[in-house]
Amino acid sequence: MSGTVVMKFGGTSVADAERIKRAAARIVAKREAGSRVVVVLSARGKETDRLIADALEISPVPEPREMDMLLSTGERVSCALAAMAISDMGHRAISLTGSQAGIVTDTSHTKARILDVRADRIMKALDDDNIVLVAGFQGVSTAKDVTTLGRGGSDTTAVALAAAINADVCEIYTDVAGVFNADPRIVPTARKLDTVSFDEMLEMSASGAGVLQLRSVEYARNHGVRIHCRSSFEDTPGTVILSEAETMEHPLITAVTHSTGEARVTLVGLPDTPGIAGRVTTALAEANVNVDMIIQNEPQTTDAKAEMSFTVPRDDMLAARAALAPIAEEFNIQLQADEAMGKVSIVGAGMKSHPGVAAKVFTTLGENGINIQMISTSPIRISCVVPGDKVPDAVRALHAAFELSGPDTIRPEQPFGEFA
Amino acid sequence: MSGTVVMKFGGTSVADAERIKRAAARIVAKREAGSRVVVVLSARGKETDRLIADALEISPVPEPREMDMLLSTGERVSCALAAMAISDMGHRAISLTGSQAGIVTDTSHTKARILDVRADRIMKALDDDNIVLVAGFQGVSTAKDVTTLGRGGSDTTAVALAAAINADVCEIYTDVAGVFNADPRIVPTARKLDTVSFDEMLEMSASGAGVLQLRSVEYARNHGVRIHCRSSFEDTPGTVILSEAETMEHPLITAVTHSTGEARVTLVGLPDTPGIAGRVTTALAEANVNVDMIIQNEPQTTDAKAEMSFTVPRDDMLAARAALAPIAEEFNIQLQADEAMGKVSIVGAGMKSHPGVAAKVFTTLGENGINIQMISTSPIRISCVVPGDKVPDAVRALHAAFELSGPDTIRPEQPFGEFA
C-alpha cells in the first residue's frame, strides 16, 4: 500500500541493540512496501524508571519542570539509536524531539496536554524521503519549556501525529498480540478481539485494560484516527479500534476488564454544608487526582453528618491526602483509606439495549461470594468495586457467565490486508 | 562580590547524587555571596562514553546528526538533576538546553562551531532571580538540529556564555588544583601556576595540557574572558588565565607539556607534482584531521619522488587514512604510519627574547639519549616529536634543565579575593 503510516513502539521493543535493529527492520519493511513512515518511540526498557530513581536520589519531590527536562531524554536516545540503525539499512532517517516535531502542549509539567501539532517539519522530512522518528511522550510548552505527557504518553503522541499528518492508520506495537476480552493471565480462554469500537475501547482503557492509554483512544476518537494495536514480535494482525459505524455488530458484552490498583477514601463526619462535596472534588481535581466513583449518603437528621466515599488510583493516594488535608482540618473531617481495593468491569456496546445485564453481573458476583462495595455504570459499562484479592475470581466468573471464551465465533474476521 | 559569574563543572564533579549535591552547595554559596550565577555542566561521569558505546552497538559509523541527538542528552540530565538539588536548597533554579540557552552553531555535527550566543533567555532567567544551569557541549544549528561541540566542548560553552553575558569571570572547576608547569603524575615537583597568559595557555593546551580545552582558551582570548581554573573539591585558588598585559612578568619558561597520543604518517613516493602537498593537507582539513607538524623533503633529482611526513592525534588516524586513500591510489603513494609517537614541548612568553632556548632543549634531550624525530616551534613554544616511551624522561629532563620545580619563587602570589 502507499499512503502514510504512524508506527509506535513501546519501551520493551527498543530495550536493547538487538530489539532496536529488529524494530528498524520492521520499519524499513513498511517503508519498502511503499508507505511514508513516521515512527514514535518510547524510552528504552526501564530507562524512565532509572531516571526517576536518579531524581529521587537528589530530591524527595523533584521540580516538575526539571523532571520533564530529565525524563524527555529517554525517548530521544531511543530515536537517535533507531535512526542510526535505519541509516545502516540504507534508508534516510531523521530523529526529532517532541519540540522539533511541533508538539505544542500547555505548561502543566509531567502531565501536559497537547494543544497543537505543527507538523510542517515532519512533512518536509517525509517529502525529503526520510523515515521520521519522533520522541514520544513529550512536547514543548507555550512557555518554550520541555514538557512530558505523563505515563503512556507515547501512545498519545502517536495518535496526535497520525491525526495531524492525516495518516491512514496509527499502528501501536506492543508486547501483546492485541486487545483481549479479558486479561489472558487471569483468563486462559480470553479471546483476542479483531475490532473494538472507540467507545468500548475508551471504557476498557478507563477500567483497567492496560494495552492502550485512555487519552490516546480519546484523541483517536475525536480526530477519527484508526488505531491498529498489534504485536511487535509477530506479524499477525492485532486489534483495530474503529468508529461505531464501522464495527460489524454490537455483541452484548465485548470484554471484562479489571484493576487492582484502587484505593477507597471515606470522609467521615462531613458537615451538611452546601457545596462541601464540591470543595472536596475541586481540591482533588486541582491536585490532578482522578476520582472514579463517588458515593455520598444523606444525613438522616438535621444535626447528623454526611459521609462521602470515593475511589482513586492507589498511586494518587498521597496526592489525595495532601489535597484534602486543609479541608479535613477546617471541618474536622476524618479521612479513612482502604488501599486494598480492586475493580471489575464489563464493557459492551450491546448493553444499551439489554437492561438485564446489570442484574446478571450482581447475581454472578453474589453467587461467587464476592461482596460488591461500590457500583458505577455507563451506557456501555458496569463497574463494581470489590476487595482486591477477589478480583481474579470476579473476572473469571463474569467472563464465564457472559460466555466470552474463544475461539472467536461471535463476529467475522476483519480483512487486515490494508494494515499489513 | 556581586556581578555575574559562570561556573563550569566537569563530569567527575556531577558523577553521582552526592557530588551533584556538593556542586549544588558550592553554586548556592556563590549565589548567596551576591553573584548572579550561570552554571555549565558536563555529562555525568562516564555517561558520554556509555552513550557512544550504545551507538557503536547499533552502527559501526553512526550518523553524526543522530550522534549529536544522542550525546546531547547527557548534559541535560546533569542540569535537570542539579536544578532539583538547588531548588531543594531553597533557591530558584532553571535548566536550559544549549538550544534554549541560545547557543547557535554551524551545521558540522559532532564538531560544531559556535556562531552566535543569544543570551536573552538566560538574562531573563537571571533577572527572575534564577540560578541558570546550561547543558554544556551542545547547541542548535542554523538548520535547527541539535549539535555538539566535540569533546571538552563544555569549556567552550562556559567561556562563550561568559563572553555573551559579560561575566566577571568564568570559573572552570576540575579535579586538579589548577594549571601546573608539568604533569604532576610525571614530575612530582611540578608547580601550580597562579597566572598564565592566554598565549601561553593556548600553546600549553595545544601541546598536551589537558586541563583546558584549546578552543575555550582561544575563545576566551578573543573575547577577553578571564578564566579561573580551580579545584571542584577544595576551595583554594587555582590558576587565572589572563591577558599578556595583566601578567606580572614573563618567565623564560612557563611550563613543560607533553602528549603521548601522537601518530606519524609518512607518504612515500610523492610525485613532484605542483600542489600535491596542497591536495594532501586539504583532504586532511576537510576530514577535520588536525595535522600538527609537517615535513617534506625535496627530491634530489628530477625523476626522484618526494617524501612527506606529518603528525596527527592518534584518534584521527582512521579519518586520516580514509581521507588520503583516494590520493594515495591516484598517485600510487605508499602510506606508512607510526602510532607510537609522543611529543614534548616547552612553553614560555619569555622565550621570544632568548634565542638560546632551542639549543638548550636539543642538548638536554640529546644528553638523555632521547632521539628527536621532528621539531616545530612558535615564538613562545618549542615542540619535539620523540618516541612515545621516552616522553616521561623527556619531560623530567626539561623540567629540571629549566629549573621549573616548585615552590613558586619566580613570581609573586596573585591576590585572589575577587575570585573567591
Side-chain angles (χ1 to χ4, degrees):
Chain A
M1 85 183 249
S2 77
T4 309
V5 177
V6 172
M7 306 172 77
K8 181 261 176 178
F9 290 87
T12 50
S13 310
V14 292
D16 54 43
E18 255 340 291
R19 290 175 181 216
I20 288 177
K21 287 178 186 171
R22 203 188 306 156
R26 192 126 190 202
I27 293 163
V28 164
K30 180 79 65 177
R31 177 78 192 97
E32 287 173 347
S35 299
R36 287 152 58 99
V37 181
V38 173
V39 181
V40 174
L41 297 181
S42 302
R44 310 173 70 186
K46 296 262 153 285
E47 177 70 2
T48 301
D49 297 333
R50 194 177 67 75
L51 290 169
I52 290 174
D54 287 347
L56 293 177
E57 240 191 299
I58 297 279
S59 164
V61 193
E63 270 292 312
R65 179 192 181 279
E66 301 306 330
M67 203 61 183
D68 282 350
M69 174 72 87
L70 179 73
L71 296 184
S72 62
T73 60
E75 289 71 22
R76 298 177 180 198
V77 168
S78 301
C79 287
L81 292 174
M84 293 172 187
I86 292 169
S87 301
D88 278 8
M89 297 175 182
H91 281 264
R92 291 170 59 87
I94 179 176
S95 70
L96 297 177
T97 67
S99 167
Q100 291 173 331
I103 302 198
V104 181
T105 75
D106 60 21
T107 57
S108 56
H109 285 286
T110 73
K111 283 188 177 182
R113 315 274 314 179
I114 295 176
L115 299 179
D116 187 15
V117 178
R118 301 176 186 154
D120 3 338
R121 187 163 181 183
I122 292 178
M123 298 309 274
K124 172 82 170 58
L126 288 173
D127 293 342
D128 294 346
D129 195 30
N130 283 293
I131 291 171
V132 181
L133 299 112
V134 177
F137 167 74
Q138 60 187 264
V140 61
S141 76
T142 47
K144 294 199 163 27
D145 288 320
V146 176
T147 51
T148 63
L149 308 178
R151 280 276 166 153
S154 292
D155 289 351
T156 309
T157 301
V159 172
L161 288 179
I165 65 178
N166 192 20
D168 302 301
V169 59
C170 178
E171 298 187 329
I172 307 283
Y173 289 83
T174 154
D175 46 10
V176 294
V179 180
F180 285 74
N181 68 358
D183 185 337
R185 288 166 300 185
I186 293 180
V187 184
T189 60
R191 184 164 52 76
K192 193 195 83 200
L193 303 169
D194 302 320
T195 64
V196 182
S197 73
F198 284 125
D199 294 339
E200 289 173 316
M201 196 64 231
L202 273 178
E203 295 284 10
M204 289 170 69
S205 295
S207 58
V211 58
L212 275 178
Q213 198 220 12
L214 178 61
R215 277 166 61 197
S216 64
V217 182
E218 236 169 338
Y219 203 107
R221 183 182 59 174
N222 300 342
H223 296 76
V225 174
R226 174 173 286 221
I227 296 178
H228 182 191
C229 181
R230 59 193 305 186
S231 164
S232 51
F233 303 117
E234 41 193 87
D235 200 8
T236 53
T239 303
V240 178
I241 295 95
L242 28 67
S243 70
E244 205 73 18
E246 292 173 287
T247 49
M248 309 285 97
E249 51 177 293
H250 301 313
L252 181 60
I253 303 301
T254 301
V256 179
T257 58
H258 72 280
S259 76
T260 50
E262 306 285 319
R264 183 182 55 181
V265 178
T266 303
L267 301 176
V268 183
L270 213 61
D272 188 20
T273 320
I276 183 75
R279 280 195 52 186
V280 168
T281 46
T282 307
L284 292 169
E286 280 167 353
N288 272 315
V289 175
N290 304 316
V291 177
D292 182 9
M293 304 184 197
I294 302 183
I295 292 178
Q296 182 166 22
N297 69 340
E298 290 306 315
Q300 302 315 314
T301 66
T302 48
D303 66 340
K305 302 214 163 186
E307 232 181 60
M308 181 179 183
S309 295
F310 53 85
T311 56
V312 299
R314 192 173 301 131
D315 301 345
D316 287 1
M317 266 307 288
L318 271 178
R321 285 183 186 281
L324 296 177
I327 302 176
E329 184 160 347
E330 179 177 349
F331 297 100
N332 178 32
I333 298 169
Q334 271 181 296
L335 190 151
Q336 299 169 350
D338 181 343
E339 306 206 353
M341 305 307 294
K343 188 171 67 176
V344 58
S345 311
I346 59 169
V347 175
M351 218 184 274
K352 295 176 193 154
S353 42
H354 292 66
V357 172
K360 185 168 182 178
V361 170
F362 306 148
T363 328
T364 306
L365 295 179
E367 286 168 357
N368 287 268
I370 297 164
N371 179 17
I372 302 173
Q373 311 208 351
M374 292 167 102
I375 298 166
S376 76
T377 65
S378 86
I380 64 172
R381 175 184 52 81
I382 297 172
S383 298
C384 303
V385 172
V386 300
D389 57 353
K390 293 288 192 184
V391 167
D393 292 347
V395 172
R396 278 187 287 266
L398 292 173
H399 198 265
F402 287 96
E403 296 161 345
L404 298 177
S405 294
D408 183 350
T409 51
I410 294 176
R411 61 184 97 170
E413 288 288 337
Q414 282 280 101
F416 274 92
E418 64 203 274
F419 305 113
Chain B
M1 85 186 254
S2 79
T4 309
V5 177
V6 172
M7 306 172 77
K8 181 260 176 178
F9 291 87
T12 50
S13 310
V14 292
D16 54 41
E18 255 341 291
R19 290 177 181 214
I20 288 177
K21 288 177 183 171
R22 203 189 306 154
R26 192 128 191 199
I27 292 163
V28 164
K30 180 78 65 177
R31 177 78 192 98
E32 287 172 347
S35 299
R36 287 151 59 98
V37 182
V38 173
V39 180
V40 173
L41 297 180
S42 302
R44 310 173 71 185
K46 296 263 155 282
E47 177 70 2
T48 301
D49 297 333
R50 194 176 66 75
L51 289 170
I52 291 174
D54 287 346
L56 293 178
E57 237 190 300
I58 298 279
S59 164
V61 192
E63 269 292 313
R65 179 192 181 278
E66 301 307 329
M67 204 61 184
D68 282 351
M69 174 71 88
L70 180 72
L71 296 184
S72 62
T73 60
E75 290 72 21
R76 298 177 181 199
V77 168
S78 301
C79 287
L81 293 174
M84 293 173 187
I86 292 169
S87 301
D88 278 9
M89 296 175 182
H91 282 264
R92 290 169 59 87
I94 179 176
S95 70
L96 297 177
T97 67
S99 168
Q100 291 174 330
I103 302 199
V104 181
T105 75
D106 61 19
T107 58
S108 57
H109 284 287
T110 73
K111 284 187 176 183
R113 315 275 313 180
I114 295 176
L115 298 179
D116 188 14
V117 179
R118 301 174 186 157
D120 3 340
R121 188 165 181 182
I122 292 178
M123 297 310 273
K124 172 83 172 57
L126 288 173
D127 294 342
D128 294 347
D129 195 30
N130 283 293
I131 291 172
V132 182
L133 298 112
V134 177
F137 166 74
Q138 61 187 264
V140 60
S141 76
T142 46
K144 295 197 160 27
D145 288 320
V146 176
T147 50
T148 64
L149 308 178
R151 280 278 165 147
S154 292
D155 289 350
T156 308
T157 301
V159 172
L161 288 179
I165 65 178
N166 193 17
D168 303 302
V169 59
C170 177
E171 298 187 329
I172 306 283
Y173 289 82
T174 153
D175 47 9
V176 295
V179 181
F180 285 73
N181 67 358
D183 184 338
R185 288 166 298 185
I186 293 180
V187 185
T189 60
R191 184 165 52 76
K192 194 194 82 199
L193 303 169
D194 301 321
T195 64
V196 182
S197 73
F198 284 124
D199 294 339
E200 288 172 317
M201 195 65 230
L202 273 178
E203 295 283 10
M204 289 170 67
S205 295
S207 59
V211 60
L212 277 177
Q213 197 219 14
L214 177 61
R215 278 167 60 196
S216 64
V217 182
E218 236 169 339
Y219 203 107
R221 181 182 61 173
N222 299 343
H223 296 76
V225 174
R226 174 173 286 220
I227 295 178
H228 182 190
C229 180
R230 58 194 305 187
S231 164
S232 51
F233 304 117
E234 43 195 85
D235 200 8
T236 53
T239 303
V240 179
I241 296 94
L242 29 67
S243 69
E244 204 73 18
E246 294 174 285
T247 50
M248 307 287 95
E249 52 176 293
H250 301 312
L252 181 60
I253 304 301
T254 300
V256 180
T257 58
H258 71 280
S259 77
T260 51
E262 306 286 319
R264 183 181 53 179
V265 178
T266 303
L267 300 177
V268 184
L270 214 60
D272 189 19
T273 320
I276 183 74
R279 280 195 53 185
V280 168
T281 46
T282 306
L284 293 169
E286 281 166 355
N288 272 314
V289 175
N290 304 314
V291 177
D292 181 12
M293 305 185 197
I294 302 184
I295 294 178
Q296 180 167 22
N297 69 341
E298 288 307 314
Q300 301 315 315
T301 67
T302 49
D303 68 339
K305 303 214 164 187
E307 232 181 60
M308 181 177 182
S309 294
F310 54 85
T311 57
V312 299
R314 192 173 301 132
D315 300 346
D316 288 0
M317 266 307 289
L318 271 177
R321 285 182 186 279
L324 295 177
I327 302 176
E329 185 161 346
E330 180 179 349
F331 297 100
N332 179 34
I333 298 169
Q334 273 180 302
L335 189 151
Q336 299 170 350
D338 182 342
E339 306 207 352
M341 305 306 294
K343 188 171 66 177
V344 57
S345 311
I346 59 169
V347 175
M351 218 185 277
K352 296 176 193 153
S353 43
H354 292 66
V357 172
K360 184 166 180 179
V361 169
F362 306 149
T363 332
T364 305
L365 294 179
E367 284 168 358
N368 287 265
I370 297 165
N371 179 16
I372 302 174
Q373 311 208 350
M374 292 166 101
I375 298 167
S376 77
T377 65
S378 87
I380 64 172
R381 175 185 51 82
I382 297 172
S383 299
C384 303
V385 172
V386 300
D389 57 353
K390 292 289 193 184
V391 166
D393 292 348
V395 172
R396 278 186 286 267
L398 291 173
H399 198 266
F402 287 97
E403 296 160 346
L404 298 178
S405 294
D408 182 348
T409 50
I410 296 177
R411 62 184 101 169
E413 288 288 337
Q414 282 281 100
F416 275 91
E418 65 202 275
F419 305 112

